[in-house]
Amino acid sequence: MTTALTTDTGARLPGLIRRLTGDEKHAPSAHSTIDVLQVLYDRVLRITPDTVDAPDRDRFLLSKGHGPAAYYAVLAAHGFIPEDWLDDLGGPQSRLGHHPDRVLVPGVEIGSGSLGHGLGLGVGTALGLRAQGLLTPRVYVLLGDAELDEGSNHEAIAYAGATGLDSLTAIVVDNSSATHGWAGGIASRFTVNGWTADTVDGRDHTALYAALTGHRPGRPHLVVARVESKG
């Protein structure tokens, strides 16, 4: 049975997302991520508006940055940005672009939208934290299934597995939009390279929470969140 969190965030998100207009063509991309984002920010990530620069914060990297409406709405719901920013998406004076900008938007870790870059940046972030002796922070990277068509992801997947980068969790939102796919499914592409993996209903908050916190020592972790087909 699919379950959803009955939180203040969940009640407010539909209204916040409706305030973001002008990028309707990417609405399916945005809405496919909303449940993962809600669970992450409500229950998993150790970060608040007051700790956006704290060295020991968790890092969330939105690699799937070409549909950021749900991300902006979640940031507003949690107080990272003012809600009235949502009323001016992509305007001349707006901080909210059609791709998130880490310089302009508090709480955003990377500028993203050009697909295939986020996982490599996540690997580099996790390695940098390890080199500094910061072993508590986790790095979460949210990708789309079509993004895995980009070859740059293969090197990141292989390297993270080979180095036992266990502070890294990749989340792939699977809405069946990938062109190439992978023999045995998405998870097999990661597990063959030493990752652990969970595949869950991307609308089930209980299952998402268990998967997002189900990482194991010594190995990077993957969560495949299946949602309705984009088509």
Side-chain angles (χ1 to χ4, degrees):
M1 180 178 69
T2 299
T3 60
L5 294 174
T6 54
T7 64
D8 177 64
T9 304
R12 295 169 59 211
L13 280 176
L16 294 173
I17 293 174
R18 283 195 294 271
R19 295 174 67 164
L20 290 145
T21 60
D23 192 27
E24 284 72 16
K25 70 177 182 178
H26 285 130
S29 178
H31 286 275
S32 68
T33 65
I34 188 63
D35 294 276
V36 170
L37 289 167
Q38 185 185 340
V39 174
L40 278 169
Y41 277 87
D42 277 1
R43 303 178 65 188
V44 178
L45 292 174
R46 298 180 309 106
I47 186 171
T48 69
D50 295 327
T51 61
V52 291
D53 294 317
D56 63 347
R57 72 189 184 278
D58 287 339
R59 273 72 167 175
F60 171 71
L61 281 60
L62 180 68
S63 186
K64 187 182 168 72
H66 57 291
Y71 184 35
Y72 290 152
V74 169
L75 289 175
H78 283 271
F80 290 89
I81 62 174
E83 291 184 14
D84 59 10
W85 285 14
L86 304 178
D87 299 324
D88 185 21
L89 175 65
Q93 304 302 319
S94 176
R95 293 193 180 203
L96 304 185
H98 293 293
H99 294 172
D101 187 327
R102 69 173 300 273
V103 176
L104 298 177
V105 186
V108 171
E109 296 283 355
I110 60 169
S112 61
S114 183
L115 298 181
H117 294 164
L119 189 56
L121 289 170
V123 169
T125 300
L127 284 170
L129 290 168
R130 177 193 281 182
Q132 296 174 73
L134 294 169
L135 304 181
T136 301
R138 293 202 60 79
V139 179
Y140 295 85
V141 183
L142 178 58
L143 310 94
D145 62 316
E147 197 172 350
L148 295 178
D149 290 344
E150 300 289 345
S152 54
N153 288 294
H154 184 74
E155 183 175 354
I157 293 167
Y159 187 84
T163 55
L165 206 54
D166 58 3
S167 64
L168 178 66
T169 294
I171 308 144
V172 177
V173 175
D174 180 9
N175 63 1
S176 303
S177 59
T179 300
H180 303 303
W182 192 261
I186 291 172
S188 67
R189 181 172 183 177
F190 289 74
T191 56
V192 74
N193 283 288
W195 293 56
T196 59
D198 291 310
T199 299
V200 298
D201 181 342
R203 304 301 186 193
D204 187 326
H205 290 196
T206 300
L208 282 169
Y209 176 75
L212 290 167
T213 57
H215 40 82
R216 282 74 113 184
R219 301 170 71 182
H221 186 55
L222 168 72
V223 176
V224 180
R226 289 178 171 167
V227 297
E228 58 278 3
S229 173
K230 181 179 178 180

